[in-house]
Amino acid sequence: MRQSWMIETRGKPLEAVNKLVSDLWDSLDISHMLLPLKDPEKNTWKTEEISDPGNLKRSNPFTPLMMENIAQKIPDFRNRHPGEKIAVLLRPCEFSAFKKIEQKNGLDRKNMVVLSTDCLGTYPSDEYSWRAERKSSQETLTDESLKFSKLGGISQYRYRSACQLCKNPIANQADLNINIAGIPVRHQIMVSTYNGINQQVNMDNFTDGPMPEDVLTQHDQVSDKMIYRNEQTRNRLSKALVENTSLNLENLVHQLNECQNCQTCMEVCPICNIFGFSREDDGSVSPETVAGWMVDCVGCGMCEQSCTEHKPLAAIFAVIHDQLANLE
């Protein structure tokens, strides 16, 4: 059951979120956390494991950039800290991959706190760098994105195709969800809990009270509009790809077998890495492997971001995923 609280941001949503996470860290006695952090020296973002909540000042869960799907690193992270209380911070597509891993590999959720945030969209990494250089600040790109959080974001065409096709950009079902869609974040953000985390901590101590019903309704309505918008985009692309290229599983297997000397898309995919999907010794990929991969695809788009041939893999994989889902 969802329970939702409000946090007043006073014009500083990022500071409000990082303070919340820091307070929860102390209250839940977390030993380590896995999340993307900014490297101030190289001016890039990378996944880091931290043991000091002071490092949260380098965190920005709203930055419109995704360098990798963190979910694939969680099993090793869990194994490095047996018996300790750990935490991870994920985007919705990463949380979807985490759930696949949990269901199929029996990942131990005991003593693990999973946090997730709404995602308004992310840029391709090269365009992110270009835009940040033009704006003279990466923080400006975050501010631009959050400015339109109440509308569910704008100008989706600028973002990665995977974000435009995302089936669920909303944080839900994690232990603690940080919601910004449909919410005026310069005034407040919403925190929703599941899985009984509010029985471990008193959320009233970390928030400014229950979320007003009108704002909660606005969040749900805008969330539905975002999902519908992406679904329409997905349907249009699917129709075009099928009509123009006769795209199906057999066709995709053929395309992948033309890339025998490259396995980049599989190397960055959390599903391939965790479930062991890979090419055969002769460099080919079997229809069974591709089918299993596509069925479990979470649409994070890391494949397309890494493709050296610049193929529209996010759209292609989304079409095959939906085709196979419709056969079930």
Side-chain angles (χ1 to χ4, degrees):
M1 177 180 178
R2 178 177 72 176
Q3 292 185 273
S4 301
W5 288 267
M6 169 184 63
I7 295 180
E8 304 257 349
T9 63
R10 297 173 179 82
K12 298 179 179 180
L14 182 57
E15 288 186 17
V17 168
N18 285 341
K19 182 180 186 305
L20 169 67
V21 177
S22 180
D23 290 343
L24 288 172
W25 182 305
D26 293 334
S27 182
L28 291 168
D29 196 26
I30 292 170
S31 66
H32 296 81
M33 188 172 188
L34 189 70
L35 73 168
L37 295 177
K38 186 175 182 180
D39 183 336
E41 293 184 1
K42 298 182 179 179
N43 207 31
T44 58
W45 291 84
K46 63 178 181 178
T47 304
E48 291 189 37
E49 176 185 318
I50 61 174
S51 58
D52 178 1
N55 284 310
L56 289 170
K57 63 186 178 182
R58 295 192 285 123
S59 170
N60 183 352
F62 307 128
T63 188
L65 176 70
M66 182 175 172
M67 297 302 295
E68 66 176 335
N69 191 313
I70 295 176
Q72 61 193 316
K73 295 190 172 185
I74 295 178
D76 286 343
F77 176 51
R78 169 74 284 176
N79 291 336
R80 286 196 297 274
H81 305 288
E84 298 179 42
K85 179 67 73 69
I86 60 173
V88 294
L89 178 60
L90 307 174
R91 294 179 185 270
C93 60
E94 293 173 319
F95 180 71
S96 294
F98 168 76
K99 291 295 291 182
K100 297 271 188 183
I101 296 168
E102 180 185 22
Q103 292 164 3
K104 293 200 173 186
N105 285 29
L107 183 65
D108 182 12
R109 280 286 296 274
K110 185 179 180 181
N111 292 326
M112 182 186 297
V113 179
V114 182
L115 297 85
S116 185
T117 63
D118 289 350
C119 182
L120 301 178
T122 60
Y123 291 107
S125 56
D126 55 348
E127 183 166 348
Y128 177 88
S129 298
W130 176 76
R131 287 182 178 274
E133 185 176 344
R134 285 187 64 209
K135 300 289 185 180
S136 74
S137 167
Q138 294 186 10
E139 288 69 24
T140 301
L141 295 182
T142 300
D143 292 340
E144 284 185 348
S145 178
L146 291 178
K147 185 184 299 183
F148 299 99
S149 61
K150 190 174 180 179
L151 302 175
I154 61 168
S155 303
Q156 285 296 103
Y157 68 88
R158 298 187 302 179
Y159 292 138
R160 295 187 306 134
S161 57
C163 297
Q164 299 177 45
L165 303 170
C166 182
K167 283 191 169 184
N168 190 7
I170 306 302
N172 59 60
Q173 300 299 323
D175 298 318
L176 187 141
N177 306 276
I178 300 165
N179 302 121
I180 59 174
I183 298 173
V185 297
R186 290 194 61 80
H187 301 290
Q188 59 198 190
I189 57 173
M190 184 169 81
V191 178
S192 300
T193 60
Y194 291 85
N195 306 328
I197 189 174
N198 48 303
Q199 296 175 1
Q200 301 177 48
V201 295
N202 185 350
M203 292 300 296
D204 290 330
N205 294 335
F206 307 111
T207 64
D208 296 296
M211 198 68 185
E213 278 299 321
D214 61 326
V215 181
L216 184 56
T217 299
Q218 174 76 3
H219 164 73
D220 291 345
Q221 290 176 343
V222 170
S223 298
D224 289 343
K225 287 179 181 178
M226 292 172 64
I227 294 169
Y228 177 77
R229 175 193 64 200
N230 291 1
E231 183 180 275
Q232 294 300 103
T233 302
R234 197 177 179 106
N235 290 340
R236 286 196 301 272
L237 274 175
S238 175
K239 183 178 180 180
L241 281 171
V242 172
E243 289 181 351
N244 296 331
T245 68
S246 302
L247 181 62
N248 56 26
L249 178 62
E250 182 180 359
N251 183 298
L252 175 58
V253 172
H254 176 72
Q255 290 185 47
L256 291 172
N257 280 329
E258 290 184 334
C259 303
Q260 285 194 12
N261 294 324
C262 180
Q263 191 163 294
T264 305
C265 61
M266 303 183 86
E267 290 172 350
V268 299
C269 175
I271 300 302
C272 289
N273 281 324
I274 296 299
F275 298 161
F277 295 140
S278 62
R279 294 185 180 277
E280 306 295 331
D281 292 339
D282 63 358
S284 66
V285 59
S286 70
E288 293 77 18
T289 292
V290 178
W293 180 14
M294 294 300 104
V295 166
D296 286 318
C297 175
V298 298
C300 66
M302 293 296 99
C303 51
E304 181 172 312
Q305 189 158 299
S306 70
C307 180
T308 58
E309 297 297 319
H310 308 291
K311 293 182 178 180
L313 295 181
I316 292 172
F317 289 4
V319 171
I320 302 302
H321 173 88
D322 291 347
Q323 288 179 351
L324 294 175
N326 290 333
L327 294 175
E328 294 181 354

